[in-house]
Amino acid sequence: MVVGAHTETTAAAGESGGGRWSGVRRSALALVCGALPALAFPAPALWWFAYVALVPWLLLVRTAPSARRAGLDGWSGGLGFMLAVHHWLLPSLHVFLLVIAALMALLWLPWGRLVRAMLGGQPSPARAAAALLVVPSGWLMIELVRSWQGLGGPWGLLGASQWQVPAALRLASVGGVWLVSLLVVAVNTAVALLFVAPAPVRRTGVAGVTGSALLLGLVWWGVPAPRTSGTVRIAVVQPGVYDAAGAGGAGLRFARGEALTRALAGRRLDLVVWGESSVGADLRTRPDLSARVTALSRRVGAPILVNVDARRSDRPGIYKSAILVGPDGPTGERYDKMRLVPFGEYIPMRPLLGWATSVGKAAAEDRRRGTAPVVMTLPSAPGSTAPGLGIGPLICFETAFPDMSRRLADNGAAVIVAQSSTSTFQDSWAPAQHASLGALRAAETGRPMVQATLTGVSAAYGPDGRRTGPVLGTHASASAVYELPLSHTRTLYDRFGAWPVYAAVLVLIAAGAVEFGRRRRGA
């Protein structure tokens, strides 16, 4: 691997682009270029665009007249990316979204300098070949850092844009969404090299695109789909749009969910799943609600997984909890949400940032966290064909985290079950993008996944990540039944975890060592 950076003088003389733009205009262009990848995600869902969406940004950064300017181009593009991918949060966070995006965009500042070092000036074929590894590895470090729950979590990982591409889902079974992100950025880097003279460098770009296509084809051909054995019948209940904050909102949701569930009688179900916040009171303090859900379970012949968003009676604070109710009442199986939505469900450093409640819809009171994942065992019920089956519940935002579904699969979950709401963002891109994450989590773990929401989008995915059965849109008030194939195959990602992240770290360490050695020799 050869890493080298052109000098400031060479860059300024060899690249006229940096001199044509004033700082403000160049930053504005970087902002727009950074926003382009958002079009690859739902709702636009231009998945193919992801493979070239970074090219304008890369070409701009490589013409930066200095490393400092390249860092600013990286920061400006990162700001555009964060705003575009999270624009649907604007009604909730208002100006605070701009503050958060500007801070998170700092992660792209060193990446901009890295891009210029690898692609700027007249790169040699060796440096261009190294760029195909180094630039994607740098991008993956950004995704890793911002995936920390305290910084907002892994929303908008570039690999997640490929959720409906079967070959990319197979790649996710090998290295998770991380490997898909690496491939997407590598293709963008290779395409950018096609615009760089001289001819040997362009040939490196052609080789990069060809190699990426061959890798994807090799994985598709050489890695088998999960072997299936048996099926499970799961119904999701989506009550429709109700004003959760209005008087009686929780009661309306419950009543509509109850009516839809009652209509499922006779469908030979193994499980019924209600959406997030489908029950607005602790079942211990509301035996009437507990009795109604229990009666429903007996009527449909299947246990019901409800979601309680309420103050607990046995400990202080408000929790969001998945609770399994069988024909004999609550089974005692309970999962408390572990990873909460920053500002939506708690305010980080509330003494310092509590003012966010005055400019948006930030949480007035922090919800409490659960302490451990839970794999629930389905109880026997009349007509059930899957007693003893393990299900792994996730609640809303948690489906964005690859490690959570992987841990559930390792702990014995045969099905991943997500309960969500997204009602606050009903008319935005958020519901469709949130639902698409189920495809990645299913493909990574080799386990089928269902997502039940209050207001859409509700959907289901097989063990290979492909969507199956009906999709309940954002204004549907309905139920849907899915017959999902079961699989006990352990994917490579399930076995080895986020190994592409570790590989990327090694690539960056090696690149740093080469650059250090080059500078020592130059001195």
Side-chain angles (χ1 to χ4, degrees):
M1 182 183 296
V2 178
V3 180
H6 55 293
T7 64
E8 303 296 325
T9 303
T10 301
E15 299 291 347
S16 60
R20 292 175 183 167
W21 293 97
S22 68
V24 173
R25 289 180 178 177
R26 189 177 178 99
S27 294
L29 182 58
L31 185 82
V32 174
C33 290
L36 292 177
L39 297 175
F41 296 94
L46 304 177
W47 63 266
W48 52 268
F49 186 59
Y51 294 94
V52 295
L54 295 178
V55 173
W57 191 6
L58 291 169
L59 294 178
L60 176 69
V61 173
R62 73 171 291 272
T63 65
S66 67
R68 178 180 177 275
R69 182 66 247 182
L72 289 174
D73 290 344
W75 177 81
S76 298
L79 176 61
F81 180 81
M82 292 299 292
L83 289 175
V85 172
H86 298 88
H87 72 275
W88 44 272
L89 285 170
L90 191 59
S92 296
L93 296 182
H94 298 289
V95 69
F96 209 74
L97 176 61
L98 182 60
V99 175
I100 295 172
L103 292 174
M104 294 297 296
L106 292 173
L107 294 172
W108 276 272
L109 194 151
W111 185 76
R113 297 171 66 101
L114 179 66
V115 168
R116 179 180 180 273
M118 300 306 301
L119 300 179
Q122 301 294 332
S124 66
R127 178 150 60 96
L132 295 175
L133 295 175
V134 175
V135 172
S137 295
W139 181 277
L140 199 62
M141 291 303 99
I142 297 170
E143 293 199 335
L144 177 66
V145 173
R146 71 183 187 87
S147 292
W148 180 46
Q149 191 264 330
L151 292 179
W155 188 274
L157 301 186
L158 203 54
S161 66
Q162 304 304 295
W163 68 277
Q164 55 187 329
V165 182
L169 291 172
R170 193 69 54 84
L171 193 67
S173 75
V174 175
V177 68
W178 313 109
L179 186 57
V180 184
S181 284
L182 275 177
L183 179 77
V184 171
V185 182
V187 172
N188 275 275
T189 306
V191 173
L193 289 172
L194 299 179
F195 294 89
V196 178
V201 174
R202 292 197 295 271
R203 287 196 291 270
T204 302
V206 172
V209 173
T210 304
S212 298
L214 288 175
L215 173 63
L216 200 58
L218 181 63
V219 169
W220 177 254
W221 173 77
V223 178
R227 295 186 302 274
T228 59
S229 176
T231 59
V232 61
R233 287 176 61 83
I234 299 178
V236 301
V237 171
Q238 180 175 299
V241 179
Y242 290 104
D243 181 8
L252 288 172
R253 289 197 303 271
F254 189 97
R256 183 57 181 156
E258 187 178 33
L260 290 170
T261 304
R262 192 179 297 114
L264 292 169
R267 300 291 297 274
R268 297 184 298 106
L269 300 173
D270 298 306
L271 177 67
V272 178
V273 185
W274 286 16
E276 179 186 17
S277 305
S278 49
V279 179
D282 188 344
L283 294 180
R284 290 187 181 92
T285 61
R286 289 292 302 275
D288 57 322
L289 296 181
S290 179
R292 287 164 68 179
V293 179
T294 301
L296 283 175
S297 175
R298 286 196 294 265
R299 181 181 180 89
V300 299
I304 301 174
L305 187 70
V306 298
N307 189 277
V308 175
D309 183 2
R311 199 173 300 277
R312 288 186 62 162
S313 59
D314 58 338
R315 63 184 65 174
I318 301 173
Y319 289 80
K320 282 192 176 181
S321 307
I323 297 177
L324 191 62
V325 180
D328 298 320
T331 64
E333 301 268 35
R334 179 187 188 117
Y335 167 67
D336 296 322
K337 187 176 183 180
M338 297 171 60
R339 295 183 181 172
L340 304 176
V341 180
F343 297 97
E345 294 173 335
Y346 79 103
I347 296 181
M349 300 180 292
R350 184 176 283 271
L352 179 64
L353 301 177
W355 59 270
T357 57
S358 64
V359 297
K361 300 177 182 178
E365 177 182 349
D366 291 349
R367 282 172 171 77
R368 304 297 180 92
R369 302 177 189 275
T371 56
V374 174
V375 174
M376 301 178 178
T377 302
L378 295 185
S380 298
S384 173
T385 61
L389 192 73
I391 63 168
L394 296 172
I395 301 176
C396 196
F397 178 60
E398 294 179 329
T399 62
F401 294 87
D403 65 301
M404 295 197 72
S405 51
R406 176 174 176 254
R407 187 172 178 183
L408 288 171
D410 286 345
N411 290 349
V415 183
I416 309 298
V417 179
Q419 297 173 300
S420 182
S421 174
T422 64
S423 303
T424 306
F425 314 107
Q426 191 68 12
D427 297 315
S428 73
W429 293 359
Q433 189 172 346
H434 191 196
S436 73
L437 295 174
L440 274 298
R441 304 294 86 87
E444 289 166 343
T445 59
R447 301 293 180 264
M449 179 168 176
V450 295
Q451 172 158 304
T453 72
L454 286 181
T455 59
V457 174
S458 297
Y461 305 87
D464 60 356
R466 297 198 195 192
R467 194 162 62 188
T468 181
V471 175
L472 301 182
T474 52
H475 292 287
S477 178
S479 63
V481 176
Y482 303 97
E483 185 157 352
L484 297 171
L486 296 171
S487 175
H488 299 288
T489 300
R490 291 194 67 190
T491 65
L492 291 175
Y493 174 74
D494 184 36
R495 291 176 183 274
F496 301 111
W499 63 265
V501 172
Y502 308 130
V505 171
L506 292 177
V507 166
L508 293 174
I509 290 174
V514 170
E515 178 65 11
F516 178 76
R518 186 189 69 82
R519 293 190 177 188
R520 285 288 298 271
R521 289 191 298 272

